[in-house]
Amino acid sequence: MSIQTTETITECEVSIVVHRANGDIEDLGVIESYKQGRIKRLLNKISKIKETT
Amino acid sequence: MTAYLTKVGFAIIANRILGSGTEPKYVGWGTGAGAASTSSTDLSTPKNIDFTSTGTDRTTATGTRITTTETNDTTQYVATRTATGGTGTVTNVGLFDAVTAGNMAAIVDGQSIVLADGDSIVATFKIKFA
């Protein structure tokens, strides 16, 4: 018997902080990964379906 | 704005697990308006740290393993990239496996970061395996 499993479990998250020459710092925060966004959209769709049923 | 691990990025990671390929630890930026996707292979209008010249110079990031969900399940690259040569607007930032040319493993688009001479960005890429 052979068992094969494939899971897509990798994602990328990016955060950017700007350091101005005058010493000011601006934190632009975490930029959502493509996968996180896709999951959120799916969850929204599911919740809308639940609301209408 | 979205952060993408590119299709090429997946190939790089798969290759690295086998002990091959080159570490994606070089950060570059671009000033173009092009939208990124998982199919992206380069920045939109790549620029050197000197905004007056078009090019692909990149900044070497520091790579570490950090914990997101399980111990050491995330590879993190942090690079500080400082603008020179006038003002420019950074719209996208990418992570590559070479100082010039090479392959783009990840990209974030939708930015509008106006940088003057001497301003810098600290870009942190987290590739999570959990």
Side-chain angles (χ1 to χ4, degrees):
Chain A
M1 184 178 74
S2 66
I3 299 172
Q4 294 184 11
T5 60
T6 303
E7 279 190 83
T8 306
I9 55 172
T10 313
E11 65 176 311
C12 182
E13 183 180 277
V14 180
S15 57
I16 295 176
V17 179
V18 181
H19 292 254
R20 299 294 176 191
N22 64 7
D24 290 349
I25 296 174
E26 300 163 24
D27 188 349
L28 304 184
V30 177
I31 296 135
E32 186 178 71
S33 74
Y34 170 70
K35 196 170 286 181
Q36 286 170 325
R38 196 166 57 175
I39 290 168
K40 275 186 183 176
R41 286 191 292 277
L42 283 170
L43 288 173
N44 282 339
K45 280 184 183 175
I46 291 167
S47 65
K48 283 179 183 172
I49 290 168
K50 279 185 176 174
E51 284 172 10
T52 56
T53 54
Chain B
M1 64 182 78
T2 306
Y4 297 90
L5 191 59
T6 66
K7 293 175 182 176
V8 173
F10 284 117
I12 291 171
I13 292 165
N15 208 21
R16 295 292 293 170
I17 289 172
L18 292 172
S20 302
T22 308
E23 187 178 9
K25 61 175 183 177
Y26 304 98
V27 173
W29 62 32
T31 59
S37 73
T38 55
S39 298
S40 295
T41 57
D42 201 356
L43 293 164
S44 177
T45 316
K47 286 278 188 176
N48 290 328
I49 56 170
D50 181 348
F51 284 117
T52 60
S53 63
T54 299
T56 58
D57 71 353
R58 295 177 191 137
T59 304
T60 304
T62 300
T64 55
R65 281 192 307 167
I66 63 168
T67 298
T68 301
T69 306
E70 306 295 339
T71 304
N72 291 326
D73 62 356
T74 300
T75 306
Q76 175 177 273
Y77 290 103
V78 182
T80 301
R81 194 167 160 85
T82 304
T84 63
T87 300
T89 302
V90 172
T91 56
N92 58 128
V93 182
L95 185 67
F96 294 81
D97 65 359
V99 173
T100 58
N103 306 291
M104 187 173 70
I107 183 173
V108 57
D109 69 353
Q111 304 300 302
S112 183
I113 309 165
V114 179
L115 298 178
D117 193 355
D119 291 347
S120 60
I121 64 168
V122 179
T124 303
F125 285 79
K126 293 180 182 177
I127 301 171
K128 298 191 287 187
F129 300 92

